[in-house]
C-alpha cells in the first residue's frame, strides 16, 4: 500500500491577488478553476511535481458562515500554516518576488543554522511562504 500527498489547501481572501502571486510571480501553472455559490477554487501545480495540487480557496467557501469567519480571522492574523517551496535559484526567485511587489518580504535569502538557505514572504493574503535553495 502506498500513500502520497495529492492536495494542499491554502486559504486566500482575494483569489485574483493570490493567482497573480502564485501563477504570475512564482510561476505555478493553473490546472483547474471552479466557481460555486459565489466562491472560487483555483488549483495550481508546479512543473516538477504536477501530481501535487495547491488549492487556493476562500475561508467561507464550503463551510458555515461562523466557521468561515473564524478561518478568515486566523488568515488576517497570519496564523494559518504556510507553504514551503524549493527552487534551484533562490536569489533569482527572491528578486522576482521582490520586483513583483505583491508579497511582504519577511526574510531575504540567508543561510539557516539547520542547514538550508532560504527566504520568507507573506503572500497577498498573509500566508507565510518560505522558499529554500534545492
Amino acid at each position: 500500500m502506498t500513500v502520497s500527498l495529492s492536495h494542499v489547501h491554502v486559504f486566500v481572501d482575494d483569489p485574483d491577488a493570490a493567482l497573480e502571486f502564485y501563477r504570475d510571480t512564482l510561476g505555478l501553472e493553473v490546472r483547474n478553476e471552479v466557481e460555486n455559490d459565489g466562491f472560487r477554487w483555483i488549483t495550481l501545480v508546479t512543473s516538477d511535481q504536477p501530481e501535487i495540487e495547491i488549492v487556493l480557496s476562500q475561508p467561507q467557501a464550503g463551510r458555515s458562515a461562523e466557521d468561515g469567519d473564524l478561518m478568515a480571522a486566523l488568515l488576517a492574523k497570519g496564523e494559518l500554516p504556510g507553504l514551503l517551496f524549493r527552487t534551484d535559484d533562490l536569489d533569482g526567485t527572491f528578486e522576482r518576488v521582490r520586483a513583483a511587489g505583491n508579497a511582504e518580504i519577511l526574510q531575504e535569502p540567508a543561510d539557516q543554522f539547520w542547514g538550508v538557505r532560504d527566504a520568507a514572504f507573506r503572500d497577498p493574503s498573509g500566508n507565510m511562504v518560505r522558499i529554500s535553495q534545492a
Side-chain angles (χ1 to χ4, degrees):
M1 174 175 87
T2 26
V3 177
S4 59
L5 183 63
S6 67
H7 293 77
V8 174
H9 284 264
V10 178
F11 291 112
V12 299
D13 55 8
D14 182 342
D16 291 322
L19 187 58
E20 182 181 328
F21 176 73
Y22 289 100
R23 181 194 60 200
D24 301 340
T25 302
L26 291 185
L28 278 63
E29 302 167 17
V30 175
R31 167 138 324 147
N32 198 10
E33 191 166 342
V34 177
E35 293 191 33
N36 184 26
D37 210 18
F39 297 102
R40 286 167 59 200
W41 290 268
I42 304 166
T43 305
L44 302 123
V45 298
T46 66
S47 58
D48 287 347
Q49 294 176 303
E51 70 280 6
I52 300 174
E53 299 180 354
I54 299 169
V55 182
L56 306 177
S57 63
Q58 294 159 280
Q60 295 83 1
R63 59 188 45 83
S64 72
E66 181 182 4
D67 287 347
D69 290 346
L70 289 171
M71 294 301 290
L74 289 171
L75 176 61
K77 289 172 53 176
E79 292 296 324
L80 296 177
L83 291 170
L84 289 89
F85 290 98
R86 258 190 321 257
T87 181
D88 58 0
D89 181 8
L90 179 60
D91 293 318
T93 302
F94 177 81
E95 289 307 323
R96 186 173 171 172
V97 172
R98 183 198 314 259
N102 56 4
E104 176 188 356
I105 297 171
L106 299 175
Q107 174 205 306
E108 295 193 10
D111 294 325
Q112 302 297 342
F113 70 88
W114 56 88
V116 301
R117 185 166 187 269
D118 70 356
F121 313 91
R122 288 214 183 272
D123 74 7
S125 294
N127 294 298
M128 168 83 76
V129 176
R130 294 192 81 85
I131 303 175
S132 64
Q133 181 79 36

